[in-house]
Amino acid sequence: MKFLIIGIFAAIVAFLIWRSKQNTDPNEQACAIEIGNLLKAHPDAQPQAIADVFKKHVIDQSQCKHVGAMVMPQLRKQGLKPEDARILMGQVRGAYPLVP
């Protein structure tokens, strides 16, 4: 019984990992990485500059939230503290309405 529960749990985890990799669009990932790099280099970047990155990668307004959710892990990978990353995410959210 114990092995059955462990097996089911492992299968669920493997499925979730596989599904998350299938749902990641390389263009969206590249956009999130570029926004992360922009915010790391210029923490005071204006929302218009972030919106320009969205436009460069042809991300429309309906996809902005999905891409924006990928920016936070990028900021964390670059060594920002969680509270600093949350502050910068306000600038990213401010760019959503500026994207056509």
Side-chain angles (χ1 to χ4, degrees), residues 52-70:
D52 291 341
V53 175
F54 281 122
K55 291 175 194 173
K56 175 182 168 188
H57 289 275
V58 193
I59 304 294
D60 61 17
Q61 195 172 26
S62 65
Q63 295 172 299
C64 285
K65 282 188 177 183
H66 180 68
V67 175
M70 291 189 282

Side-chain angles (χ1 to χ4, degrees), residues 67-77 82 85-86 89 93:
V67 175
M70 291 189 282
V71 172
M72 179 70 117
Q74 293 301 321
L75 294 172
R76 294 292 315 226
K77 283 181 185 177
R86 276 190 221 103
M89 285 305 296
R93 287 186 205 99

Side-chain angles (χ1 to χ4, degrees), residues 81-97:
K81 295 178 183 175
E83 54 274 358
D84 295 336
R86 276 190 221 103
I87 291 168
L88 292 176
M89 285 305 296
Q91 293 168 259
V92 175
R93 287 186 205 99
Y96 298 166

Side-chain angles (χ1 to χ4, degrees), residues 3-37:
F3 294 113
L4 179 64
I5 293 171
I6 292 172
I8 291 171
F9 179 74
I12 291 171
V13 169
F15 174 75
L16 292 174
I17 291 171
W18 174 77
R19 187 166 180 231
S20 72
K21 291 190 183 288
Q22 297 297 321
N23 288 338
T24 303
D25 180 10
N27 188 39
E28 292 177 352
Q29 188 68 31
C31 182
I33 290 169
E34 188 171 340
I35 292 171
N37 291 337

